[in-house]
Amino acid sequence: MGTFTTDLATLRRRARSGDVVRPAACAAQIQHLRQAVRLELGVCLPRSYASFLAECNGFSVGGFHVLGVDAEIAADTSPLAAAGFAGCLATNRAHERARLTTRLPHRFLVVAANRDHVWGMKEEGSFWQIEALTRREVQRYADGDAMLHALARGEACLERI
């Protein structure tokens, strides 16, 4: 049994019509994402996030999204990909462009988001929930596993769960 199996089973049971909890990404897809993030964004994909993707290639529940492997990397032609299901690389490309435009000093790898907040890893390896508009640090997590478990359990701003 995987690290996130119990949390994801509960999330799948609670998901409503229109919510999406994707199946696992394969090892090759995760490796492609890892390489693309390192080459394009200059950061390493957190081990905890790679482990999460090996059990769930992202979800979208109640306006909250944990990002998955991008359709372009996964060669995904499913309806989810066609509907524009958020990918990690594309989302972080946009965040990096915004960071450069606003001259913020630190990179932040986004792995989850809703309308008001983003969750992810700072350049030095700490894991945070950050207010999207103000960039105010809301909560620091002990590590990536703690953050991803909280997200999968619905403890991080999931209004419907």
Side-chain angles (χ1 to χ4, degrees), residues 67-82:
L67 307 173
V69 175
D70 299 70
E72 67 186 68
I73 293 172
D76 188 351
T77 58
S78 71
L80 294 177

Side-chain angles (χ1 to χ4, degrees), residues 7 17 129 146 155:
D7 295 335
S17 177
Q129 175 186 356
E155 295 173 5

Side-chain angles (χ1 to χ4, degrees), residues 24-36:
C26 72
Q29 292 170 334
I30 296 167
Q31 184 58 31
H32 287 303
L33 178 62
R34 180 178 276 127
Q35 290 170 346

Side-chain angles (χ1 to χ4, degrees), residues 1-2 42 45 72 96 114 124:
M1 184 153 65
L45 197 70
E72 67 186 68
E96 181 64 8
N114 69 9
E124 89 286 345

Side-chain angles (χ1 to χ4, degrees), residues 22 33 49 67-71 84-93 110:
R22 296 173 88 180
L33 178 62
Y49 181 51
L67 307 173
V69 175
D70 299 70
F85 192 84
C88 179
L89 187 59
T91 298
N92 280 284
R93 283 175 183 148
V110 176

Side-chain angles (χ1 to χ4, degrees), residues 52-119:
F52 181 85
L53 293 173
E55 294 184 52
C56 176
N57 190 13
F59 65 81
S60 179
V61 174
F64 179 79
H65 313 281
V66 171
L67 307 173
V69 175
D70 299 70
E72 67 186 68
I73 293 172
D76 188 351
T77 58
S78 71
L80 294 177
F85 192 84
C88 179
L89 187 59
T91 298
N92 280 284
R93 283 175 183 148
H95 278 269
E96 181 64 8
R97 283 191 301 273
R99 183 188 73 83
L100 292 172
T101 301
T102 59
R103 301 186 191 282
L104 290 171
H106 302 289
R107 287 191 168 105
F108 186 80
L109 183 72
V110 176
V111 300
N114 69 9
R115 183 181 62 199
D116 302 317
H117 296 91
V118 294
W119 287 259

